[in-house]
Amino acid sequence: MRNWLGNDGNWIVAGLAAAITVPLLSFVAGMPFWIAAIIAVLVFAGLVILLAPRRLFEGLDIKSIGSGRVAFARDLLEAAVPFAQRLEAAADAITDRKTTTAVRHLAEIAVDVFRKVEAKPESANAVRRFLSYYLPRAAEVAEGFAVIEAKRAPDTKQLEEVRTVLVKLEEAFVHYADSLIDEALGTLDTDLRLIQASLKEDIGR
């Protein structure tokens, strides 16, 4: 599964593996140091490539979907992901546990929307306002809470106002996330009526 909120793990793992390879080959296997170093470099490069996160929409039949739709969805996601990362960072900075949980939940909903859009790029237009407006504003509000909270004498009224806005934003986030599911179920009612009509015609029930 794509890690939307950070992709540096492959470099860390590759670096650790390469660091272990040199002493392992030099001292345990008895290889010359320069050969061990070359092998370590190859191990590092190989793991970076192997563990690299896959590209957006990799594996989708872009021709059947339309390159324009995919490009539109890609632009929206690439612009939106940094704001989800800022939400996660704000959640880490906030000390109020309830607010931290709320902000982290916003980031989780955003990631859920990202995954749904990547799976179905043609749905991107349905959540365009979410990705380009509500998500950036949510990141700014969460960061604002962290800044207010960090004061020596935080304004409790101001903090409560920000909490109220975060609750409203959560409602908007849930609405847009569910709208993608509602869109996928758009033909269900019609299908059910057609099936019921066919059953009634065929078996009288």
Side-chain angles (χ1 to χ4, degrees), residues 15 26 43 48 52 54 61 66 79 85 90 101 124-125 137 153 156 158 161 165 184 201:
S26 295
V43 167
V48 166
R54 64 184 183 83
D61 185 357
Q85 293 170 333
T101 301
N125 195 52
R137 299 295 82 75
T156 54
Q158 194 174 25
E161 288 175 352
V165 172
E201 182 180 340

Side-chain angles (χ1 to χ4, degrees), residues 144-162:
F145 187 96
V147 170
I148 297 169
E149 190 185 48
K151 291 181 177 180
R152 290 186 179 274
D155 185 330
T156 54
K157 183 180 178 181
Q158 194 174 25
L159 286 175
E160 191 56 39
E161 288 175 352
V162 177

Side-chain angles (χ1 to χ4, degrees), residues 66-135:
S67 58
R69 286 181 173 181
V70 173
F72 175 71
R74 178 181 284 111
D75 289 345
L76 279 178
L77 290 182
E78 288 179 346
V81 167
F83 293 107
Q85 293 170 333
R86 284 170 57 180
L87 273 175
E88 191 71 21
D92 291 338
I94 293 170
T95 59
D96 180 72
R97 185 173 298 179
K98 187 176 179 180
T99 305
T100 293
T101 301
V103 172
R104 207 176 298 283
H105 186 222
L106 293 179
E108 290 169 358
I109 295 173
V111 170
D112 183 47
V113 171
F114 297 161
R115 288 172 179 155
K116 286 182 171 67
V117 171
E118 186 181 16
K120 190 179 179 184
E122 57 269 38
S123 68
N125 195 52
V127 289
R128 177 175 57 179
R129 184 162 175 77
F130 166 78
L131 295 171
S132 62
Y133 178 75
Y134 284 109
L135 180 54

